Amino acid sequence: MKYKPHLPQRWSNDLAYLFGLLIGDGSMPKTKSKRPNGKYQERYHIYFISASRDFIDSIYNPLFTSLFGLVPWTEIRITKGVKLYISRIESKEVYEFLQKKGFTIGRKARIATVPKMPMKYHIYFLAGLFDTDGGKKGSGFGLCTASEFLALFCMEQFKKHNIPFHSCPWKYRDYIYQQVYTKKGDMWKVLKTFPIRHLDKIAFIESNSPQ
């Protein structure tokens, strides 16, 4: 049975946050599958990957369902001894909706950009990025991304909200990652400014950078 999704008519806090999550740890690959008649058909899978089952069950899946009226299912994958949880769903309508809104299709790590949205939603988009590609950087907290576009966006947001930061490149395997981070004493400003929802990251900031 196929279900027709609801497609948001305009940007919202939740939609901007979801975009941040998907651009951080999501994927919409270009794939095809072979039909019984030998012909190939396009597939429209939307994936979100996390090391936290609780985050998928309590944040990502409910958010996706509230926005689109579809319920993703979750799989477990173990790679090199590391357990990952993969939320997935197939929907041509949602896939094309996200693409038209500005999601980068295919191998997006280095070329991911910020979708065009009203500026008032930027803090929610960056919160989604922090909840995926954000984390502890030395004794501080910040973003690590292979996309220079996202790194520059993060720096612009820190400047806009008067949050001191540092930035530096970091080479890992075949990628040059951009790190943008605040020191320990300023981490609370990140939590105050950007509506982060990942409980582990909230706990880290609150316990290490009390206001």
Side-chain angles (χ1 to χ4, degrees):
M1 180 181 295
K2 293 185 177 181
Y3 297 91
K4 187 172 181 62
H6 308 301
L7 300 179
Q9 297 299 307
R10 57 183 62 88
W11 282 99
S12 66
N13 299 348
D14 283 346
L15 183 58
Y17 176 74
L18 181 79
F19 257 84
L21 294 181
L22 286 172
I23 287 180
D25 281 339
S27 175
M28 288 169 46
K30 297 179 180 179
T31 58
K32 295 181 180 181
S33 63
K34 195 173 184 178
R35 292 179 172 179
N37 61 10
K39 295 183 179 181
Y40 287 87
Q41 64 175 351
E42 300 281 349
R43 303 305 298 266
Y44 300 92
H45 290 111
I46 302 163
Y47 298 94
F48 178 74
I49 304 171
S50 177
S52 170
R53 177 66 184 259
D54 181 67
F55 185 76
I56 284 182
D57 288 345
S58 62
I59 301 295
Y60 177 79
N61 281 355
L63 180 62
F64 192 97
T65 300
S66 70
L67 287 169
F68 301 110
L70 301 178
V71 181
W73 66 93
T74 304
E75 303 172 343
I76 299 175
R77 178 185 299 170
I78 299 177
T79 304
K80 297 182 180 180
V82 178
K83 183 182 288 187
L84 295 174
Y85 300 94
I86 303 173
S87 174
R88 60 178 293 182
I89 196 165
E90 182 169 14
S91 169
K92 180 179 180 181
E93 291 90 344
V94 176
Y95 187 103
E96 292 180 341
F97 169 83
L98 294 173
Q99 184 178 15
K100 290 177 182 177
K101 281 289 187 180
F103 190 87
T104 307
I105 303 299
R107 298 179 65 86
K108 63 177 175 58
R110 300 181 186 181
I111 61 173
T113 59
V114 181
K116 291 183 180 180
M117 65 181 74
M119 292 178 63
K120 65 181 180 179
Y121 298 120
H122 283 173
I123 60 171
Y124 299 93
F125 174 78
L126 188 51
L129 282 179
F130 282 144
D131 277 344
T132 49
D133 288 342
K136 180 181 178 182
K137 308 299 174 192
S139 60
F141 179 89
L143 182 71
C144 184
T145 175
S147 168
E148 292 186 9
F149 303 105
L150 297 182
L152 288 172
F153 172 76
C154 182
M155 287 187 274
E156 289 170 359
Q157 287 297 301
F158 279 169
K159 289 177 182 177
K160 178 179 179 179
H161 297 285
N162 298 313
I163 300 175
F165 69 91
H166 299 269
S167 63
C168 64
W170 173 56
K171 186 175 182 180
Y172 181 69
R173 294 181 179 176
D174 296 329
Y175 286 96
I176 299 295
Y177 289 88
Q178 306 297 324
Q179 297 186 104
V180 184
Y181 61 95
T182 62
K183 290 187 175 181
K184 183 176 181 179
D186 294 310
M187 290 192 301
W188 66 270
K189 298 177 183 178
V190 174
L191 190 58
K192 182 179 179 181
T193 305
F194 305 101
I196 295 171
R197 305 187 193 186
H198 199 302
L199 294 181
D200 291 344
K201 299 183 182 186
I202 293 173
F204 169 75
I205 293 175
E206 289 181 337
S207 62
N208 288 279
S209 184
Q211 183 175 350

